[in-house]
Amino acid sequence: MEDQDDVRRVLPDIRRTAADLGFALRNRVKVSLVHPSELGELGPTGARAYGLTELIVVDDRTAQATAVRVMRGLPADLFHRTVAHELGHAWLGETGRRAADAAVEEGLCELISYACLKKLGTPFARSLRDAIVNNPDPVYGDGFRRVHAAVRAHGLARVLTAVSTTGDLPGAGFP
Ligand SMILES: [Zn+2]
């Protein structure tokens, strides 16, 4: 993925998959490709993030995503995986509920990536999905497994309603 033409070619598919899942955005977010140095520091595992969502705070609960930045030069499948994840942060910003904890937020974003990769169906997409499922990280990996389990138990629609109204997964301590 080298330029905005590449982005324009694949972005509608990612938006559609996310919207079909229930992560439709009221405000369209611009996705642009940037140099790795524009994505900040290396994370605790030494892995640099591939994407970043810029949010502006609207009020004490709501944030609006203004832009998604993705590292230039990613293979298309990894671009899908990254943008899908960032659209989750944009959606959460619009819901007006802060997620109960980082694992719920990142887990939900990983779920969108997981679904987008399933649609791609390539061997590389499959390996990226396996990496999501087996990620040992307590926030991203455990978060995904918690959200995925909640979706299996309650259905995606109920999970999204719960997160957008309580900030947490169904049956996680809210009445
Ligand atoms: Zn994230």
Side-chain angles (χ1 to χ4, degrees):
M1 301 293 299
E2 294 295 342
D3 56 34
Q4 287 302 122
D5 284 342
D6 290 343
V7 172
R8 267 190 293 275
R9 249 192 308 279
V10 302
L11 195 54
D13 275 345
I14 305 172
R15 288 194 204 277
R16 201 170 310 119
T17 303
D20 287 350
L21 288 170
F23 296 91
L25 294 174
R26 283 192 295 274
N27 304 289
R28 181 162 283 213
V29 179
K30 182 174 165 52
V31 176
S32 55
L33 299 173
V34 299
H35 187 268
S37 66
E38 292 175 73
L39 293 169
E41 299 294 304
L42 294 176
T45 59
R48 203 186 279 276
Y50 293 124
L52 190 72
T53 299
E54 281 170 42
L55 294 161
I56 50 164
V57 175
V58 175
D59 54 45
D60 53 354
R61 279 229 292 260
T62 318
Q64 189 186 317
T66 54
V68 169
R69 295 197 219 153
V70 182
M71 189 187 293
R72 188 187 310 278
L74 296 181
D77 289 6
L78 194 48
F79 177 85
H80 272 255
R81 187 237 185 284
T82 303
V83 172
H85 179 101
E86 297 304 322
L87 290 180
H89 287 301
W91 180 83
L92 275 162
E94 282 190 352
T95 63
R97 285 284 169 181
R98 198 144 292 163
D101 56 65
V104 169
E105 171 140 7
E106 299 299 346
L108 200 66
C109 295
E110 289 292 84
L111 186 81
I112 309 176
S113 292
Y114 183 80
C116 280
L117 291 167
K118 187 173 189 176
K119 265 187 95 178
L120 288 177
T122 63
F124 184 43
R126 243 188 322 274
S127 74
L128 291 171
R129 286 178 81 215
D130 289 345
I132 289 174
V133 172
N134 299 313
N135 187 350
D137 186 89
V139 174
Y140 290 79
D142 288 349
F144 171 78
R145 287 181 286 275
R146 277 171 61 196
V147 171
H148 199 214
V151 168
R152 274 197 299 252
H154 305 285
L156 181 57
R158 239 193 101 194
V159 168
L160 293 190
T161 302
V163 172
S164 62
T165 53
T166 71
D168 210 343
L169 298 170
F174 284 86

